């Protein structure tokens, strides 16, 4: 995945009181969909017994791929959530996609709104949502769009920022891909990591349920998210997943969910002093190696220019397949002897080759333009 370095002036205010003081991740849990008052309140009562759970999620209006599925219980579910909030103390969050969804949620004291993957990708919907939220002071979580388009994701944050919403969080729920196996949605971790780099103050919650699509894979995706310093997890929990009206394969039973939270390893981002010193030392070494790498790359590209000029003088074609095959075979053999991953080196060589051809092409066309 390649990123165009982009900037943004997003203004994110911290919603500090949402996070446990220990620095542990924010845990959001609840069913994919609110199905009945009993199902909803039973799930909430059990989840509220786990002190790690802060926010209760439930889909009230469900975006379905085909028209014959369960499309959500509708506004009545909001009144159930209001009661749950009063009886358990959990905060509540609901997916909104239209102005009327937002108005209904605000009327029913929903604490946090989230915008689903299908809506984020549509600038018209995002603009409508932004206009409805103008002047509100409610936190909003924005899921990544279905397609791996970081600009579109950031654009959604900018639209909300433009109307004064700055209590913002991101939810990483994976991306549609032709081959996302073994997951339902491809995680493409580099995208949320790049988002964090571009907008350092923005909390990113991982939604392992929609990435995995399979209750057996939730643990590994959750651990990966925590190891990559994601700031929280949003997990679908249903008292009887097999009978769930939506996303039956990926919802956890409350027991499986509690077990998951007990077994996940929350690694500290900082560590103690000895750890910090050793890490600083290793990072300094990496800095030196990277510096050398850049110098070596510059040296290689200078040679490429020299060859390009030479070929031009003698009217020789740029691409010489025999030479390129020799390079690949010889470098791969060496790389393997050094214990380097073959695919990684192949990618690297291809990138180098593309750049080398580009440089020679520019040389060839310089005086002819
Ligand atoms: C959901 O959270 O239940 C949902 C519909 O998610 P997404 O928008 O990520 O598909
Ligand atoms: Mn779901």
């Amino acid at each position: 995945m390649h990123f165009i370095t982009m900037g943004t002036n997003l203004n994110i205010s911290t919603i500090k009181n949402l996070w446990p003081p220990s620095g542990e991740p924010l845990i959001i849990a609840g069913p994919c969909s609110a199905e009945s008052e009993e199902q909803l309140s039973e799930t909430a009562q059990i989840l509220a017994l786990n002190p790690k759970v802060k926010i209760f999620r439930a889909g009230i209006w469900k975006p379905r791929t085909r028209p014959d599925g369960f499309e959500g219980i509708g506004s009545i579910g909001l009144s159930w959530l209001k009661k749950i909030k009063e009886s358990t103390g959990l905060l509540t969050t609901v997916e909104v996609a239209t102005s009327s969804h937002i108005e209904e949620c605000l009327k029913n004291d929903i604490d946090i709104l989230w915008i689903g993957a299908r809506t984020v990708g549509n600038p018209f919907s995002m603009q409508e949502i932004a206009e409805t939220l103008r002047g509100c002071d409610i936190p909003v979580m924005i899921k990544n769009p279905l397609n791996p388009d970081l600009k579109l994701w950031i654009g959604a944050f900018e639209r909300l920022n433009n109307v004064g919403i700055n209590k913002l969080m991101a939810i990483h729920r994976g991306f549609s891909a032709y081959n996302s196996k073994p997951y339902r949605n491809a995680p493409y971790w580099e995208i949320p990591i790049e988002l964090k780099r571009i907008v350092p103050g923005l909390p990113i919650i991982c939604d392992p349920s929609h990435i995995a699509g399979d209750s057996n894979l939730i643990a590994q995706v959750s651990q990966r998210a925590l190891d990559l310093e994601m700031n929280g997890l949003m997990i679908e929990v249903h008292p009887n997943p097999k009978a769930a009206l939506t996303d039956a394969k990926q919802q956890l039973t409350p027991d499986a969910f509690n077990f998951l939270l007990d077994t996940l390893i929350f690694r500290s981002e900082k560590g103690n002093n000895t750890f910090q010193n050793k890490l600083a030392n290793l990072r300094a070494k990496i800095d030196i190696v990277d510096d050398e790498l850049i110098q070596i790359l510059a040296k290689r590209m200078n040679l490429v220019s020299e060859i390009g000029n030479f070929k031009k003088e003698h009217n020789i074609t740029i691409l010489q397949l025999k030479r390129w095959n020799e390079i690949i075979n010889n470098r791969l053999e060496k790389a393997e002897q050094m214990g380097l991953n073959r695919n990684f080196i192949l990618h690297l060589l291809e990138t180098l080759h593309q750049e080398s051809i580009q440089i020679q092409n520019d040389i060839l066309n310089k005086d002819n333009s």
Side-chain angles (χ1 to χ4, degrees):
M1 193 87 38
H2 295 276
F3 293 109
I4 311 154
T5 309
M6 58 184 286
T8 180
N9 291 323
L10 280 174
N11 170 16
I12 310 293
S13 64
T14 46
I15 327 167
K16 280 205 188 88
N17 55 347
L18 281 184
W19 268 262
S22 56
E24 286 196 1
L26 178 67
I27 304 293
I28 306 169
C32 177
S33 301
E35 299 169 2
S36 68
E37 186 162 12
E38 295 67 41
Q39 167 252 9
L40 204 63
S41 73
E42 182 189 342
T43 318
Q45 304 296 338
I46 308 175
L47 289 175
L49 297 175
N50 189 329
K52 287 181 178 148
V53 180
K54 265 298 243 271
I55 304 174
F56 185 64
R57 65 148 279 157
I60 297 292
W61 302 279
K62 298 305 295 180
R64 303 315 303 278
T65 306
R66 302 186 64 192
D68 46 0
F70 173 64
E71 291 187 321
I73 203 75
S75 306
I76 179 92
L78 296 173
S79 61
W80 305 338
L81 282 171
K82 196 169 177 193
K83 281 196 226 159
I84 285 172
K85 171 177 160 157
E86 282 156 12
S87 64
T88 63
L90 290 168
L91 299 175
T92 52
T93 185
V94 163
E95 173 179 349
V96 292
T98 65
S99 297
S100 70
H101 293 166
I102 296 173
E103 281 151 15
E104 292 282 319
C105 284
L106 294 176
K107 262 192 255 158
N108 285 279
D109 292 334
I110 297 299
D111 298 286
I112 300 168
L113 305 178
W114 97 72
I115 297 166
R118 287 154 195 80
T119 310
V120 178
N122 182 341
F124 291 124
S125 300
M126 279 313 302
Q127 196 53 35
E128 177 190 318
I129 287 173
E131 293 305 337
T132 313
L133 285 171
R134 192 182 286 279
C136 295
D137 183 33
I138 187 162
V140 182
M141 306 190 284
I142 305 185
K143 287 201 171 194
N144 62 262
L146 295 175
N147 51 326
D149 184 341
L150 182 55
K151 279 194 195 153
L152 201 51
W153 199 2
I154 290 183
F157 285 102
E158 288 171 336
R159 283 180 205 273
L160 293 199
N161 234 191
N162 286 347
V163 297
I165 302 281
N166 49 26
K167 291 180 183 155
L168 289 163
M169 289 177 265
I171 303 180
H172 168 225
R173 50 82 74 201
F175 301 87
S176 286
Y178 182 64
N179 181 4
S180 58
K181 284 190 177 78
Y183 303 127
R184 177 180 175 189
N185 289 293
Y188 299 148
W189 294 102
E190 60 274 34
I191 295 182
I193 289 171
E194 180 66 0
L195 177 63
K196 218 180 190 40
R197 192 184 68 77
I198 299 176
V199 194
L202 179 69
I204 305 186
I205 311 293
C206 177
D207 172 348
S209 303
H210 288 88
I211 291 177
D214 177 340
S215 54
N216 295 312
L217 300 174
I218 307 275
Q220 67 182 65
V221 177
S222 304
Q223 189 61 59
R224 187 78 199 275
L226 295 181
D227 294 345
L228 292 173
E229 290 176 20
M230 297 294 136
N231 307 97
L233 297 172
M234 186 200 240
I235 298 178
E236 288 185 340
V237 182
H238 192 286
N240 181 8
K242 282 200 187 82
L245 298 181
T246 54
D247 287 351
K249 252 183 92 185
Q250 73 194 31
Q251 303 207 56
L252 293 181
T253 61
D255 280 352
F257 170 77
N258 284 329
F259 178 76
L260 172 69
L261 287 198
D262 283 345
T263 45
L264 284 175
I265 304 165
F266 302 122
R267 297 183 224 279
S268 146
E269 200 176 316
K270 294 208 173 68
N272 61 22
N273 267 350
T274 325
F275 170 83
Q276 279 301 325
N277 288 340
K278 170 98 192 194
L279 184 65
N281 203 294
L282 288 170
R283 282 182 173 161
K285 285 185 185 161
I286 289 267
D287 289 348
I288 294 171
V289 172
D290 282 353
D291 200 61
E292 284 170 7
L293 260 178
I294 303 273
Q295 289 189 33
I296 287 179
L297 283 175
K299 208 162 148 182
R300 188 186 202 279
M301 292 313 164
N302 283 338
L303 282 169
V304 166
S305 300
E306 226 175 282
I307 291 181
N309 282 314
F310 191 57
K311 281 186 191 161
K312 185 179 179 181
E313 274 167 36
H314 293 84
N315 248 341
I316 303 285
T317 56
I318 295 176
L319 183 65
Q320 306 214 313
L321 272 180
K322 190 163 161 275
R323 165 75 179 148
W324 175 229
N325 279 329
E326 270 168 28
I327 290 189
I328 292 195
N329 292 333
N330 162 295
R331 309 308 191 252
L332 279 182
E333 196 183 315
K334 268 202 189 115
E336 277 185 337
Q337 282 164 10
M338 302 288 291
L340 290 164
N341 177 304
R342 195 184 154 84
N343 265 341
F344 162 63
I345 297 300
L346 202 56
H347 270 120
L348 201 63
L349 287 172
E350 272 163 10
T351 308
L352 273 177
H353 189 233
Q354 263 172 28
E355 178 66 7
S356 303
I357 289 196
Q358 185 62 47
I359 289 176
Q360 295 189 40
N361 204 37
D362 290 349
I363 289 173
L364 200 61
N365 292 319
K366 208 163 46 195
D367 301 326
N368 311 344
S369 56

